[in-house]
Amino acid sequence: MGDNLQAERVSWVGLGVNLGLVAFKYSAGIMGGSSAMVADATHSLTDLVTDGLAIVGFRISRRPRDRCHAYGHGRAETLLEALCGLSLLAAGAYIMLDGLWGIWGALRGVPKEPPSWLPFWAAAGSVVSKELLYRYTDRWARRLDNFALRAKALDHRSDALSSVGTLLGIGGAVILGGRFAALDSLAAGAVSLFIVRSALPILDRSVNELMEGALPEEVQEEIGRILGATPGVLGYHHVRTRRVGPTSAVEAHVLVAPESPLREAHRIATRAERAIEEALGEGTMVTIHVEPFEERGGVDDAASLD
């Protein structure tokens, strides 16, 4: 609950910064006649939208579990992260087409007025502010182990890098002028590549989670080591894992001595659950099913685990 509240606060900071950048960059791009700066402003606009989506997602995911949502509402973050990736992809495609159209016009000899210095200084300010925002968001994302915040941090870094391309393109167009004014459109196309590149990993991770993808291999191996080291556990199988927004869910079957009393078997399962929760973090949803250990034809249950 506290982690999600802090994540929401971080998103509010990003939203405020992006709101100011969007207004400043669009004004500079339109007044300064720079398609690259308008493209960069559009990139910041997608960040502004995704900041809003992230805040909504964090608020929904804080809702407690209920009869209809036994695993909580954490998938709201995942869904909005996917929307974040889709919006970035769409913005990147649009800006790429616009940049290519400008380059094609230059190749056909269509004259293009070079931009003024105003978009150049707007791009310089964007580089500094977005890099600082990236470091701030990334620090909290690592501290909270929050995938949605990591996605937002990558958004900020991609915006900072794209603004570097915008800075160079506008600077070249202003200084060189003439046919080199097309450098402004070329910079817009470069910005689109950064946007698309940042969208793909976000989409991959969120879609994998929505498709019930398992936790990383190293985490699954750690769960296996914990189960194998739990006193009273003679074997385990049917280990299933998944991510549910900011938390993880783990299900497993453990094998105990068939003569163990029910109370003792319950204690063994509880020890395993607590050990996994300590390793994966508070709030991890762990379900342990107890089965009797049996030997079958010389091959025991523990030797044939999946």
Side-chain angles (χ1 to χ4, degrees):
M1 183 75 74
D3 287 354
N4 276 347
L5 185 58
Q6 180 59 47
E8 182 182 331
R9 289 171 179 164
V10 174
S11 293
W12 273 111
V13 172
L15 189 147
V17 172
N18 282 323
L19 182 61
L21 281 175
V22 166
F24 180 48
K25 288 163 119 179
Y26 269 126
S27 299
I30 294 172
M31 294 172 61
S34 172
S35 58
M37 179 49 61
V38 172
D40 208 29
T42 303
H43 191 188
S44 293
L45 179 62
T46 63
D47 279 354
L48 181 64
V49 172
T50 54
D51 279 331
L53 290 175
I55 290 172
V56 173
F58 292 138
R59 289 195 172 186
I60 295 175
S61 64
R62 288 207 307 270
R63 294 178 181 175
R65 304 176 196 176
D66 53 41
R67 290 176 55 189
C68 298
H69 304 87
Y71 286 92
H73 299 79
R75 285 287 169 82
E77 283 188 29
T78 311
L79 179 59
L80 292 175
E81 185 180 349
L83 292 175
C84 166
L86 287 173
S87 66
L88 282 172
L89 196 61
Y94 172 79
I95 293 170
M96 183 180 295
L97 290 175
D98 186 65
L100 290 175
W101 182 255
I103 295 171
W104 174 245
L107 293 175
R108 289 185 300 149
V110 178
K112 176 179 173 61
E113 285 292 323
S116 68
W117 281 104
L118 177 60
F120 177 85
W121 295 116
S126 177
V127 171
V128 174
S129 60
K130 293 299 289 190
E131 179 62 22
L132 292 174
L133 190 56
Y134 160 75
R135 297 187 181 190
Y136 169 75
T137 306
D138 185 64
R139 184 173 70 250
W140 276 108
R142 294 178 185 278
R143 186 178 300 179
L144 302 176
D145 192 25
N146 188 292
F147 287 121
L149 272 186
R150 287 180 185 175
K152 288 306 309 164
L154 289 174
D155 278 354
H156 299 320
R157 168 54 65 84
S158 69
D159 209 357
L161 292 175
S162 69
S163 291
V164 172
T166 303
L167 184 71
L168 296 175
I170 295 175
V174 172
I175 294 172
L176 300 176
R179 297 190 65 178
F180 289 99
L183 287 173
D184 185 64
S185 296
L186 184 62
V191 169
S192 70
L193 294 178
F194 280 110
I195 297 175
V196 171
R197 186 174 180 272
S198 67
L200 294 179
I202 294 173
L203 281 172
D204 178 67
R205 183 172 55 248
S206 57
V207 169
N208 180 65
E209 184 175 326
L210 290 172
M211 294 294 291
E212 301 288 346
L215 296 178
E217 189 67 30
E218 61 271 17
V219 177
Q220 296 185 63
E221 292 175 357
E222 176 65 16
I223 293 171
R225 285 193 292 269
I226 291 172
L227 292 174
T230 301
V233 174
L234 303 180
Y236 60 90
H237 59 182
H238 292 168
V239 179
R240 295 180 174 85
T241 64
R242 55 179 170 166
R243 189 82 181 176
V244 186
T247 61
S248 301
V250 179
E251 300 175 10
H253 293 198
V254 298
L255 308 175
V256 302
E259 66 274 9
S260 296
L262 179 60
R263 190 181 298 274
E264 177 59 24
H266 175 70
R267 289 197 187 99
I268 294 172
T270 300
R271 280 197 294 265
E273 289 175 351
R274 289 177 178 172
I276 293 174
E277 184 177 354
E278 289 178 3
L280 271 60
E282 184 180 355
T284 302
M285 294 171 279
V286 187
T287 302
I288 301 294
H289 175 74
V290 178
E291 296 180 3
F293 175 87
E294 297 178 357
E295 291 187 354
R296 298 172 182 172
V299 180
D300 59 43
D301 286 337
S304 57
L305 302 177
D306 295 327

